[in-house]
Amino acid sequence: AASAAAAAAPAPAPAPVAPDPADILVSGTVSIFEEEDPEMRRTIAAMRTADRAALYVTVKPGGESSRVSGLMRGNTGVAAGAIRIPIKDLTFPYEFTVTKSNLFPEAVNNFEKLRGEELTVACRLDEDGMASTRGANDLAGVTYVIPKGVAGAGKGVAKVEMKGRPPAVKFLQDEKNKETNEAFKAK
């Protein structure tokens, strides 16, 4: 009888396979600033109950210097790749790895070039789970990292700390979202 029960039990999930080091663009840890703050805890708890909420990790070529010049031009660069992780069972700090397979099709041929330059790593805990929208309760953070393959580089590990939006920005984002929703309803 014991062998029949063992045969009926589901097999354990296979352990995740570690990526080939040659395919890793950047790895790191994302954490939440003031995670113990009661308002932050409520925001994160609400996101966990939302079906679509997700953590996005986006990688762009160029580091802090390109960000400054990009802001002056009104363009901070095009993302080379991203990963989306549903947050239902996610715990922070969370370790992530962006590999060649996470690059967008137009960036795959530039993989080796990307491994040789400073990168911008942006993380966003997105309430509605849609990468194209920005919500008032979304948390965001950014850092700059030089991949391991570059001479003089650090460890090639990104450490990103996400924060909530300041109250004034939350208010403006809520107003913008209301206007957008009204425009869609009118159509």
Side-chain angles (χ1 to χ4, degrees), residues 116-134:
E117 63 183 60
E118 189 175 17
L119 301 172
T120 298
V121 179
C123 295
R124 183 162 44 96
L125 197 53
D126 190 275
E127 186 173 37
D128 68 5
M130 296 178 63
S132 61
T133 62
R134 304 293 181 265

Side-chain angles (χ1 to χ4, degrees), residues 9-85:
V17 177
D20 181 342
D23 290 337
I24 295 174
L25 179 59
V26 66
S27 59
T29 304
V30 59
S31 60
I32 298 174
F33 180 73
E34 294 184 349
E35 187 174 3
E36 299 303 315
D37 176 68
E39 183 178 338
M40 186 66 69
R41 285 177 153 212
R42 283 191 294 277
T43 298
I44 296 167
M47 285 188 188
R48 287 192 196 288
T49 62
D51 289 336
R52 299 183 57 139
L55 171 67
Y56 286 94
V57 179
T58 306
V59 178
K60 292 181 180 184
E64 191 165 15
S65 61
S66 68
R67 178 184 74 99
V68 173
S69 64
L71 289 173
M72 293 170 67
R73 291 189 318 269
N75 176 2
T76 57
V78 176
I83 54 176
R84 180 186 189 279
I85 305 110

Side-chain angles (χ1 to χ4, degrees), residues 50 141-142 169:
V142 66
V169 174

